[in-house]
Amino acid sequence: MAFSEICIYQVHPQKVEAFETLMDEVQAFLKRQNGLLLLRFAKRTHHVDMEQIRDGLPPLSIRRVVKSVKYMLYWEFDCKESYGVAQKNLYESYWNAIDRCLIAPHDKYLGDSVFS
């Protein structure tokens, strides 16, 4: 059964460029992890409210940064053992550099993939 993680990063507004440059390097590193099935990285640039949903309108662009710039990392592995090794590899290489860009520790949501 595939195993997934969604990670939410809250980046300090003054460190966005450094974070994006770092994550470009991290992405190449992550793609080389054994057992990796899927890797996606996104920046929160839009929001949606009930009017957009009800009327089928496109989401609205975020116009200003309030506290942080949010990023989402989604990666999926063939099994949780491969995920564990990849986490160790990330921790030993880029973890501290990533943390220096954040306003708070990142959130991790883990679990078995239900649909494929």
Side-chain angles (χ1 to χ4, degrees), residues 28-43:
F29 172 80
L30 296 177
K31 286 181 177 180
R32 293 191 306 268
Q33 300 306 302
N34 289 332
L36 181 69
L37 301 175
L38 181 66
L39 175 68
R40 294 284 186 262
F41 188 66
K43 179 179 184 178

Side-chain angles (χ1 to χ4, degrees), residues 63-107:
R63 296 181 189 196
R64 63 185 173 95
V65 174
V66 175
K67 180 179 169 186
S68 66
V69 178
K70 292 186 177 70
Y71 293 83
M72 294 81 53
L73 171 75
Y74 175 83
W75 55 345
E76 183 174 284
F77 287 85
D78 59 354
C79 63
K80 57 187 168 195
E81 290 77 16
S82 295
Y83 167 79
V85 172
Q87 278 295 298
K88 180 180 186 290
N89 293 339
L90 181 61
Y91 180 77
E92 292 176 344
S93 54
Y94 292 101
W95 200 285
N96 290 333
I98 292 169
D99 276 350
R100 284 192 290 273
C101 295
L102 307 180
I103 64 166
H106 59 278
D107 292 326

Side-chain angles (χ1 to χ4, degrees), residues 12-64:
H12 193 287
Q14 283 75 31
K15 296 188 178 181
V16 165
E17 187 175 332
F19 181 78
E20 289 184 4
T21 300
L22 175 64
M23 291 309 283
D24 187 45
E25 184 179 330
V26 169
Q27 175 184 226
F29 172 80
L30 296 177
K31 286 181 177 180
R32 293 191 306 268
Q33 300 306 302
N34 289 332
L36 181 69
L37 301 175
L38 181 66
L39 175 68
R40 294 284 186 262
F41 188 66
K43 179 179 184 178
R44 182 174 183 243
T45 58
H46 291 77
H47 68 95
V48 65
D49 61 27
M50 284 308 296
E51 181 180 337
Q52 272 70 37
I53 294 169
R54 212 175 10 257
D55 297 338
L57 299 172
L60 301 168
S61 294
I62 293 175
R63 296 181 189 196
R64 63 185 173 95

